Amino acid sequence: MSFLARTFSQFITRSGTTASTLLTKPHNVSALALRLSSTQQSGNEQKKYDYLLVDVKGKDSNIALVQLNRPKALNALCDGLMKELSSVLESLDRDEKIGCIVLTGSTRAFAAGADIREMQNNTLPQVVGGGFLDQWSAVSKIKKPIIAAVNGFALGGGCELSMMCDIIYAGEEAEFGQPEIIIGTIPGAGGTQRLPRYVGKSKAMEMVLTGNRIKAKEAYQIGLVSAVFPANQLVDEAIKTAEKIASHSRIVVQLAKEAVNAAFETTLAEGNRFEKRLFHTTFGLADRKEGMTAFIEKRKPNFTGQ
Ligand code: CAA
């Protein structure tokens, strides 16, 4: 079997016995954590990840934990990091063993935004011609649920990246903001579009126009995040939720995610029609029959993803 044909989780298991290195434990992840050295290789040569740590978690080993790992720059989202992240998430999306993904950073920073050093001298023709930040949208196209577990700063592109995920959990010391205005630009990865949809116009406008940061408690109050935990419990709590999600039918979870996301793209009438069609679609699935039958028979369902 070619290397690329192996699933991502197979690779993790393999790398654990060969070229893995131990991950330092910034957030109380208890199990042995493996630093993935590659998902791609040409011949026998493996290409290393420079900016990510990836691990498999959960009692059924079906949760992927992806950690942004560029600590010296507070996980600033340089081009290389975003390319790696897109590639890893796409691999995980194809990996049938993985049911849910948790994306996190360090205790100090989820991500402090796009890399200002990298873009400082960019010109208009360069960013237009090169489609600057275009590849970031890959994150929002992943079909499996992604839970952002945000400790520390989630600023600019970091806040936008968390909003591309499906659920945001925050550590008590997390801070969210769109400070681009302070450095003479505006959000460029969905901040002006997703933030007002999630928290309303007035708050979004206040954050985007002032560059002010909000703390985790306020982010919870305005609905940007769905729960706040002590920093050292955050990732474990995200994994618990991920395990619950992964215990459901994979295909139905995917349809449910698609249906909720449609609420941000369509009118209410169109969204309701789309939802109804997806709901009807579940009646073509063995998992729908199994779920309802298990309920009637008072037992746990055995989902197969069919
Ligand atoms: N890009 C590049 N480097 C960054 C960075 C960023 N976005 N944020 C922090 N860093 C670097 C700093 O330059 C510094 O590096 P050096 O040690 O080499 O000088 C290191 O990370 C630590 O940062 P600070 O010394 O500034 O740490 P602090 O604790 O004093 O402040 C902070 C932390 C408030 C997050 C501050 O670093 C900051 O304001 N960062 C920039 C936040 C920002 O403006 N983000 C938006 C970027 S634009 C964007 O994201 C556009 C978009 O929509 C995609």
Side-chain angles (χ1 to χ4, degrees):
M1 181 167 41
S2 80
F3 181 87
L4 284 174
R6 287 203 305 269
T7 64
F8 200 78
S9 56
Q10 278 172 319
F11 176 77
I12 290 171
T13 309
R14 225 177 108 93
S15 73
T17 58
T18 55
S20 66
T21 56
L22 286 180
L23 169 72
T24 49
K25 293 195 284 178
H27 45 53
N28 265 7
V29 173
S30 55
L32 182 71
L34 304 176
R35 176 171 184 159
L36 269 198
S37 56
S38 168
T39 56
Q40 293 178 325
Q41 68 175 17
S42 57
N44 290 326
E45 199 180 313
Q46 293 195 342
K47 183 181 160 221
K48 286 192 174 173
Y49 281 127
D50 294 322
Y51 306 108
L52 301 176
L53 300 167
V54 186
D55 196 6
V56 171
K57 294 285 177 186
K59 62 181 183 329
D60 294 328
S61 299
N62 57 0
I63 308 304
L65 176 63
V66 179
Q67 184 184 3
L68 308 177
N69 184 37
R70 200 189 169 206
K72 284 189 184 148
L74 302 184
N75 290 333
L77 303 165
C78 61
D79 193 49
L81 187 156
M82 288 309 294
K83 280 189 175 134
E84 281 189 354
L85 182 61
S86 306
S87 159
V88 164
L89 292 177
E90 283 162 2
S91 298
L92 292 168
D93 215 18
R94 290 190 298 270
D95 187 339
E96 56 192 35
K97 287 194 178 161
I98 297 300
C100 193
I101 301 162
V102 174
L103 178 63
T104 194
S106 68
T107 310
R108 189 156 173 234
F110 177 73
D115 191 315
I116 301 169
R117 220 176 281 277
E118 195 175 72
M119 66 182 154
Q120 179 192 3
N121 296 314
N122 283 354
T123 64
L124 175 61
Q126 278 171 342
V127 295
V128 173
F132 184 49
L133 303 190
D134 278 358
Q135 88 275 12
W136 286 38
S137 57
V139 179
S140 58
K141 294 188 179 123
I142 300 301
K143 296 185 197 75
K144 285 177 187 165
I146 308 178
I147 302 175
V150 176
N151 270 323
F153 298 114
L155 303 179
C159 185
E160 292 167 308
L161 177 61
S162 73
M163 290 191 290
M164 288 178 206
C165 299
D166 302 300
I167 296 171
I168 308 177
Y169 283 173
E172 281 167 348
E173 303 302 322
E175 289 189 31
F176 296 81
Q178 297 290 162
E180 290 89 345
I181 200 90
I182 298 169
I183 56 167
T185 186
I186 70 168
T192 65
Q193 302 305 300
R194 290 197 175 92
L195 198 56
R197 282 169 167 82
Y198 300 169
V199 307
K201 177 180 169 181
S202 182
K203 193 72 210 175
M205 200 64 98
E206 186 185 60
M207 288 173 70
V208 169
L209 297 186
T210 64
N212 288 349
R213 308 199 291 254
I214 59 168
K215 301 218 186 269
K217 191 174 167 196
E218 184 175 358
Y220 174 73
Q221 285 163 347
I222 64 176
L224 180 60
V225 312
S226 54
V228 179
F229 299 100
N232 63 359
Q233 292 170 24
L234 174 70
V235 170
D236 289 341
E237 292 293 339
I239 290 170
K240 262 192 234 166
T241 300
E243 286 190 277
K244 177 96 195 254
I245 292 168
S247 73
H248 302 314
S249 162
R250 292 283 162 78
I251 180 73
V252 178
V253 165
Q254 183 182 319
L255 295 177
K257 169 171 170 167
E258 201 178 338
V260 174
N261 277 336
F264 296 99
E265 307 277 356
T266 56
T267 63
L268 181 61
E270 282 171 8
N272 279 333
R273 195 162 51 238
F274 182 64
E275 179 200 71
K276 193 71 81 246
R277 282 293 167 252
L278 290 184
F279 170 67
H280 290 162
T281 300
T282 66
F283 284 78
L285 295 171
D287 277 354
R288 194 281 314 163
K289 185 79 188 295
E290 167 63 10
M292 293 189 183
T293 304
F295 175 81
I296 301 297
E297 294 176 355
K298 300 189 188 301
R299 60 172 174 82
K300 270 192 163 183
N302 178 25
F303 293 124
T304 59
Q306 299 301 309

